[in-house]
Amino acid sequence: MSFTIFSNFRINSEENFIRMKDSYNSFKNADIKEWIINFRGSYKLEAMKFLEDELGEKLTKFELNSNKGWFYDTKKIYNYISTDYLLYWIEDHYCICDSNKLNSVVSEMKKNNLDYLGYSWFGLGTF
């Protein structure tokens, strides 16, 4: 069961770029079919180069930054997703389990016909 990594992130500092790389390394070995990423910010070229080197043809990249906003631009790249599931990548969040566990969770979602699993911002247990 493969899935898509999808993001529209802004890498605007060296620290943010380092965190993005660490985040990537925390789940890069999962069964990911494609990476659809919109790059924004002053470090977007460095981020893009890093992921191009790592992912090759698995990466579909964009540089949208319209005056209509983040949500508008995100909707423009959404149609490039070809898998049943996507993980919305927040560039400074880390996967604390191994890639096999992440693959297992996605497979279990498919088996149980689940549409959504929130993996971050748990709202102190309220979600």
Side-chain angles (χ1 to χ4, degrees):
M1 164 62 42
S2 63
F3 57 98
T4 298
I5 301 298
F6 183 85
S7 192
N8 181 356
F9 51 52
R10 187 180 80 163
I11 308 300
N12 225 19
S13 69
E14 184 175 0
E15 179 69 24
N16 195 224
F17 177 50
I18 291 167
R19 297 211 183 280
M20 183 213 75
K21 291 191 293 186
D22 291 341
S23 175
Y24 166 80
N25 286 321
S26 75
F27 66 92
K28 70 180 180 182
N29 293 321
D31 187 17
I32 302 164
K33 179 181 179 185
E34 60 195 7
W35 299 67
I36 299 172
I37 311 290
N38 188 48
F39 296 88
R40 300 174 296 129
S42 57
Y43 278 74
K44 73 179 180 182
L45 296 178
E46 291 87 344
M48 190 181 309
K49 172 83 168 97
F50 172 77
L51 289 176
E52 285 173 334
D53 290 348
E54 290 286 317
L55 300 169
E57 298 207 4
K58 282 187 165 186
L59 176 64
T60 302
K61 59 186 183 288
F62 298 87
E63 294 181 69
L64 304 175
N65 196 19
S66 75
N67 60 1
K68 293 184 179 183
W70 174 92
F71 191 73
Y72 176 84
D73 294 340
T74 299
K75 286 189 335 183
K76 292 180 84 170
I77 65 175
Y78 182 78
N79 291 326
Y80 288 84
I81 298 167
S82 69
T83 60
D84 291 335
Y85 290 99
L86 68 88
L87 186 147
Y88 188 82
W89 181 18
I90 301 171
E91 74 275 359
D92 62 353
H93 291 195
Y94 305 101
C95 183
I96 58 173
C97 66
D98 67 33
S99 295
N100 291 327
K101 179 66 174 176
L102 182 55
N103 292 337
S104 174
V105 167
V106 175
S107 292
E108 189 174 333
M109 289 178 69
K110 180 71 170 177
K111 176 182 167 187
N112 291 293
N113 200 30
L114 298 175
D115 292 329
Y116 175 78
L117 172 69
Y119 79 96
S120 189
W121 306 111
F122 294 111
L124 301 174
T126 60
F127 302 145

